[in-house]
């Protein structure tokens, strides 16, 4: 991939830019093998999964700077001044086409960009998420509600200028810190969720829901987890940190065992509401799906694992933040009677630490999923089986 922003030293966010993509992929694969060499010494590595090296990002997280009527969309430089990156080649083609029109709309509406050095202004970020359907979610991150009435009054202008935008919201982030978004979300559009088709399932993303940055590679990750579930054939599946339900829905839909009980646990009420909507839609198409429930809860709550039926005929899926599941949850899994574990990680170092805390399990297979070309970021999924009975 060639990038004029990188060549001109305006943006160096892509730390692997200039390295041939095949070499990037091989380097990440070798790094993950080395990191897990001790904690998963007997693991069988499957070939890495990759997609396009450019035009893959379904999200754009853009800092707004500049002046009213002449904004920049991109990042901040070392002096906290805006660097315009509206033509960044990492974004999906549909986003590449949309971002300049969003900038023009912001200029037309005379929205006031937030000036970090001066600590004044309103519009901090623009967040875009694009579905394979071509529809887009647009979020304005504001310092206060000062522009809220203006955006509400000009909603028809937004939808006219940006017809692919299906969900529009305002997020309030009042503090002067490097925080992307705040706790308050105000939906302005009639629709409050973006439909995201993946492998024949439809996930529903509300404004603050998490979904992987790379749709094609995320779909491959879900299919890999479903293949492992099909192989294990558990009666009970517990999906911790389930988000909008991607892993749990794939596990419920997988073949070979009727009456499987699948349960997802997630801290975000909005994500759980989205997962429940997807589950209801799946049941309409697949009446043979067994029990499929989603609930709001903390994945580290000790009572959640204890509620899993006793016996080895169970599988737990974890997809935690970069910090990993940590010693507390690792100890709970180790002391449980869970038969298999699928661990999806975006940080191979915390993954290795957590696997060392699970001596009763052996890693069977692992695979790198390259969600983030041009950077050192990675996603690794591992299938583990219990070899020691803790009863």
């Amino acid at each position: 991939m060639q990038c004029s922003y990188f060549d001109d030293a305006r943006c160096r966010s892509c730390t692997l830019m200039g390295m041939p993509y095949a070499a990037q992929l091989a380097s990440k694969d070798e790094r993950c093998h080395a990191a897990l060499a001790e904690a998963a010494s007997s693991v069988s590595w499957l070939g890495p999964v990759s997609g396009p090296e450019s035009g893959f990002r379904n999200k754009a997280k853009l800092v707004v700077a500049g002046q009213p009527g002449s904004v920049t969309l991109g990042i901040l430089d070392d002096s906290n001044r805006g660097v315009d990156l509206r033509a960044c080649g990492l974004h999906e083609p549909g986003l590449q086409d949309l971002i300049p029109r969003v900038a023009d709309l912001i200029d037309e509406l005379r929205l006031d960009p937030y000036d970090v050095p001066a600590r004044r202004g309103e519009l901090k970020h623009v967040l875009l998420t694009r579905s394979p359907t071509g529809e887009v979610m647009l979020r304005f991150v504001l310092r206060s509600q000062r522009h809220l009435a203006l955006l509400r009054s000009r909603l028809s202008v937004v939808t006219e200028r940006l017809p692919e935008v299906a969900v529009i919201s305002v997020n309030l982030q009042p503090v002067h810190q490097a925080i992307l978004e705040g706790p308050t979300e105000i939906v302005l559009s009639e629709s409050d969720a973006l439909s995201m088709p993946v492998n024949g399932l439809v996930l529903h993303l509300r404004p603050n829901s998490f979904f992987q940055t790379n749709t094609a590679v995320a779909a491959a990750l879900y299919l890999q987890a479903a293949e492992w579930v099909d192989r294990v054939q558990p009666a009970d599946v517990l999906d911790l940190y389930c988000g909008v339900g991607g892993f749990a829905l794939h596990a419920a839909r997988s073949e070979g065992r009727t009456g499987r009980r699948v349960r997802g646990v997630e801290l975000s009420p909005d994500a759980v509401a989205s997962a429940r909507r997807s589950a209801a839609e799946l049941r309409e198409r697949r009446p043979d799906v067994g029990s499929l429930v989603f609930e709001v809860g903390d994945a580290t709550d000790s009572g959640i694992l204890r509620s899993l039926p006793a016996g080895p005929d169970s599988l737990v899926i974890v997809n935690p933040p970069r910090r990993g599941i940590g010693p507390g949850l690792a100890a709970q899994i180790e002391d449980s009677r869970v038969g298999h574990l699928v661990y999806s990680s975006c940080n191979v170092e915390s993954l290795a630490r957590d696997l060392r805390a699970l001596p009763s399990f052996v890693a069977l297979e692992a695979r790198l999923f390259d969600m983030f070309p041009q950077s050192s970021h990675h996603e690794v999924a591992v299938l583990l089986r219990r070899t020691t009975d803790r009863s």
Side-chain angles (χ1 to χ4, degrees):
M1 176 183 175
Q2 189 275 332
C3 175
S4 61
Y5 297 128
F6 186 88
D7 294 341
D8 296 342
R10 283 181 286 169
C11 175
R12 290 300 173 90
S13 300
C14 293
T15 56
L16 301 185
M17 184 69 70
M19 178 186 293
Y21 184 54
Q24 292 183 31
L25 194 61
S27 176
K28 290 184 188 182
D29 206 33
E30 290 170 6
R31 173 189 170 188
C32 293
H33 285 225
L36 298 185
E38 176 189 350
S41 58
S42 62
V43 71
S44 174
W45 281 92
L46 305 176
V49 174
S50 62
E53 64 177 285
S54 63
F56 61 87
R57 282 189 65 97
N58 57 32
K59 299 176 185 177
K61 301 178 179 181
L62 304 167
V63 179
V64 184
Q67 301 296 324
S70 182
V71 300
T72 62
L73 295 185
I75 59 174
L76 297 178
D77 63 15
D78 292 340
S79 300
N80 286 319
R81 298 300 181 184
V83 178
D84 195 89
L85 303 177
R86 68 183 67 186
C88 174
L90 295 185
H91 299 127
E92 291 182 357
L95 286 182
Q96 291 183 36
D97 174 74
L98 176 63
I99 291 169
R101 291 187 285 125
V102 171
D104 291 343
L105 177 68
I106 293 171
D107 285 340
E108 179 182 342
L109 297 180
R110 304 292 294 183
L111 299 180
D112 185 13
Y114 186 68
D115 185 324
V116 173
R119 298 195 177 200
R120 65 169 179 262
E122 289 296 319
L123 182 57
K124 293 186 170 185
H125 301 95
V126 166
L127 309 179
L128 299 163
T129 304
R130 185 175 184 270
S131 165
T133 66
E135 292 186 323
V136 174
M137 178 188 300
L138 166 61
R139 303 170 66 201
F140 297 97
V141 181
L142 302 177
R143 183 178 65 88
S144 73
Q145 296 193 37
R146 184 182 135 202
H147 281 335
L148 184 58
L150 170 63
L151 286 170
R152 280 195 168 121
S153 69
R154 304 303 296 277
L155 198 58
S156 61
V157 175
V158 177
T159 55
E160 178 184 339
R161 300 286 193 278
L162 313 173
E164 62 268 64
V165 172
V167 181
I168 305 168
S169 71
V170 165
N171 179 273
L172 299 180
Q173 202 287 80
V175 298
H176 182 76
Q177 294 178 6
I179 300 172
L180 190 64
E181 56 192 278
T184 302
E185 196 82 27
I186 303 167
V187 177
L188 304 182
S189 56
E190 182 177 346
S191 174
D192 67 350
L194 181 69
S195 297
M196 182 75 69
V198 181
N199 299 326
L201 293 164
V202 179
L203 306 180
H204 298 283
L205 306 186
R206 297 190 181 205
N208 54 2
S209 297
F210 170 79
F211 185 76
Q212 298 283 4
T213 298
N214 190 319
T215 304
V217 178
L221 172 63
Y222 289 140
L223 288 178
Q224 179 64 74
E227 191 276 325
W228 284 336
V229 172
D230 284 342
R231 189 187 313 174
V232 172
Q233 290 297 317
D236 292 277
V237 174
L238 176 62
D239 182 6
L240 301 177
Y241 310 95
C242 73
V244 295
F247 285 108
L249 290 159
H250 280 76
R253 193 185 62 172
S254 61
E255 304 295 336
R257 183 156 192 164
T258 59
R260 176 174 296 139
R261 297 175 292 272
V262 179
R263 179 183 174 206
V265 178
E266 165 60 43
L267 202 56
S268 165
D270 281 351
V272 169
S274 297
R276 288 170 176 167
R277 178 177 172 183
S278 296
E281 293 171 351
L282 176 59
R283 287 193 193 94
E284 289 180 2
R285 299 192 307 272
R286 289 279 305 272
D288 60 321
V289 168
S291 174
L292 176 57
V293 297
F294 293 95
E295 60 190 58
V296 177
D298 185 342
T300 64
D301 185 341
S302 61
I304 292 175
L305 271 171
R306 285 200 299 268
S307 68
L308 203 62
D313 195 16
S314 58
L315 180 146
V316 169
I317 301 170
V318 293
N319 183 29
R322 286 185 57 80
R323 64 180 179 272
I325 62 175
L329 182 54
Q332 291 179 45
I333 295 173
E334 174 69 10
D335 293 337
S336 72
R337 304 222 15 217
V338 171
H340 288 83
L341 176 67
V342 173
Y343 194 138
S344 180
S345 168
C346 60
N347 182 352
V348 74
E349 281 75 27
S350 62
L351 171 62
R353 179 208 65 208
D354 290 339
L355 295 189
R356 287 193 293 270
L358 296 167
S360 296
F361 288 82
V362 60
L364 303 178
E365 288 184 352
R367 194 168 210 172
L368 167 69
F369 294 83
D370 192 18
M371 301 275 184
F372 317 99
Q374 313 307 328
S375 78
S376 60
H377 297 298
H378 53 272
E379 188 86 17
V380 181
V382 186
L383 171 65
L384 301 106
R385 182 187 71 231
R386 182 180 293 280
T387 59
T388 303
D389 187 0
R390 302 286 294 184
S391 60

